[in-house]
C-alpha cells in the first residue's frame, strides 16, 4: 500500500532547506556590505587671539562642506575640549568664536542690589582678549582627522 503525500508534506522540507540557505545569506549581506559609521573625534586644546588666550567664549566648528552638524563647546581660560560624544567627525571645519554674553537674569539680579556694580561688572569690565562688543565672528578653517593630535592650538 502506497501512502499518498499531501502537498503540505512536500512543501515543508523544501521551505526548511530554503530558509537554511536564505537566512545566513541575508545576515551576511546586511552586516558585511555596509560601511562602518563614522566616529566623532575627541579634541582638546587652546584658542588664542593676538597671542593671548580667549578668556570666555563659545567655540563652534561648522562643516565647510555645509553638510553635517556643527559642534560647539565652551572656551574657559583659553582652553576647550570635545569628547568622543560631542566632538566633530573627520573633515574640514570653519572655526568660529562667539563671545559669551551674561544672562539677563544675572544682570537684573546684580542691578537690583547695586546698579553701579552692575554697570561696572557687565558694562565696563570686558575681557581683554575678546571684547563683548565684538560684532563680527572670528573665523578660521581647520581640518580634523581621526589621527588628530591634541592639544590643538587655534590662533585667530
Amino acid at each position: 500500500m502506497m501512502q499518498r503525500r499531501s502537498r503540505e508534506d512536500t512543501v515543508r522540507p523544501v521551505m526548511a532547506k530554503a530558509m537554511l540557505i536564505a537566512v545566513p545569506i541575508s545576515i551576511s549581506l546586511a552586516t558585511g556590505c555596509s560601511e562602518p559609521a563614522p566616529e566623532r573625534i575627541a579634541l582638546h586644546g587652546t584658542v588664542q587671539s593676538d597671542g593671548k588666550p580667549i578668556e570666555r567664549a563659545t567655540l563652534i566648528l561648522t562643516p565647510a562642506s555645509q553638510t553635517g552638524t556643527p559642534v560647539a563647546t565652551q572656551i574657559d581660560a583659553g582652553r576647550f575640549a570635545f569628547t568622543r560624544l560631542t566632538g566633530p567627525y573627520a573633515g574640514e571645519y570653519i572655526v568660529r568664536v562667539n563671545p559669551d554674553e551674561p544672562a539677563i537674569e544675572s544682570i537684573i539680579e546684580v542691578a537690583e542690589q547695586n546698579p553701579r556694580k552692575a554697570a561696572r561688572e557687565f558694562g565696563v569690565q570686558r575681557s581683554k582678549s575678546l571684547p563683548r562688543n565684538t560684532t563680527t565672528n572670528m573665523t578660521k578653517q581647520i581640518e580634523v582627522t581621526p589621527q588628530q593630535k591634541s592639544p590643538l592650538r587655534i590662533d585667530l
Side-chain angles (χ1 to χ4, degrees), residues 39-69:
E39 292 185 21
R40 291 180 180 261
I41 299 168
L43 283 177
H44 70 277
T46 59
V47 182
Q48 297 182 18
S49 176
D50 296 326
K52 297 176 185 170
I54 294 175
E55 293 300 318
R56 290 199 49 81
T58 302
L59 173 66
I60 303 165
L61 302 180
T62 305
S65 65
Q66 298 187 0
T67 59
T69 305

